[in-house]
């Protein structure tokens, strides 16, 4: 059996629930203020992180564009032999003596035949240093 004190109408029951909720509101106000302050702090941090993400994304897009431009410009690379007269040495008087007066260096030509104008030459020692980082 149910105690008579616990029996009341549906309207009274709803009014009781609403009253309970209103009585809890005052107790929750300090916690609400703390949570609102924390939310503002987190929103500020989120804005900073989103700005950093935007900047990182812009850098990534720029790097992709630079890579794309460099790839289009490079077209091809070729191994070349760079032949120069030895510095400070005498010049040959006969063609047969040419080998004694020049030095040979392996280079990487960037741009190859597809690129017009001056082509970049990268000495193999420099290329190895770039590859090592």
């Amino acid at each position: 059996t149910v105690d008579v004190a616990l029996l009341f109408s549906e309207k009274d029951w709803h009014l009781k629930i609403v009253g309970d909720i209103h009585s809890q509101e005052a107790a929750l106000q300090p916690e609400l203020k703390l949570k609102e302050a924390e939310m503002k702090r987190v929103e500020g941090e989120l804005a900073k992180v989103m700005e950093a993400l935007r900047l990182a994304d812009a850098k990534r897009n720029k790097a992709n564009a630079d890579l794309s431009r460099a790839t289009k410009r490079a077209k091809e690379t070729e191994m070349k032999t760079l032949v120069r007269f030895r510095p400070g040495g005498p010049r040959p008087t006969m063609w047969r003596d040419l080998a004694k007066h020049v030095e040979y260096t392996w280079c990487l030509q960037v741009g190859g035949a597809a690129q017009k104008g001056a082509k970049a030459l990268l000495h193999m020692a420099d290329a190895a240093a770039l590859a090592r980082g």
Side-chain angles (χ1 to χ4, degrees), residues 25-65:
E25 179 183 4
L28 294 175
Q29 283 298 326
E31 187 177 348
L32 177 65
K33 289 180 182 180
L34 288 174
K35 295 298 181 183
E36 285 176 345
E38 183 179 348
M39 190 168 115
K40 285 182 182 180
R41 182 187 57 80
V42 169
E43 284 175 346
E45 289 177 10
L46 177 64
K48 289 177 186 176
V49 169
M50 291 303 289
E51 180 64 20
L53 177 64
R54 187 189 64 76
L55 292 174
D57 196 38
K59 285 181 182 179
R60 182 185 55 86
N61 289 340
K62 184 182 181 317
N64 280 340

Side-chain angles (χ1 to χ4, degrees), residues 10-26:
E10 189 173 345
K11 176 183 173 189
D12 292 339
W13 182 81
H14 283 291
L15 289 174
K16 179 185 178 306
I17 296 296
V18 169
D20 290 346
I21 290 172
H22 284 297
S23 66
Q24 292 175 2
E25 179 183 4

Side-chain angles (χ1 to χ4, degrees), residues 49-98:
V49 169
M50 291 303 289
E51 180 64 20
L53 177 64
R54 187 189 64 76
L55 292 174
D57 196 38
K59 285 181 182 179
R60 182 185 55 86
N61 289 340
K62 184 182 181 317
N64 280 340
D66 291 346
L67 176 64
S68 178
R69 276 194 305 275
T71 303
K72 288 177 185 175
R73 285 183 190 151
K75 301 294 181 194
E76 62 181 78
T77 57
E78 297 179 55
M79 291 297 296
K80 296 288 183 176
T81 306
L82 179 64
V83 181
R84 292 190 269 187
F85 283 108
R86 292 197 174 136
R91 298 291 190 251
T93 55
M94 302 290 287
W95 276 108
R96 67 171 193 253
D97 299 333
L98 185 63

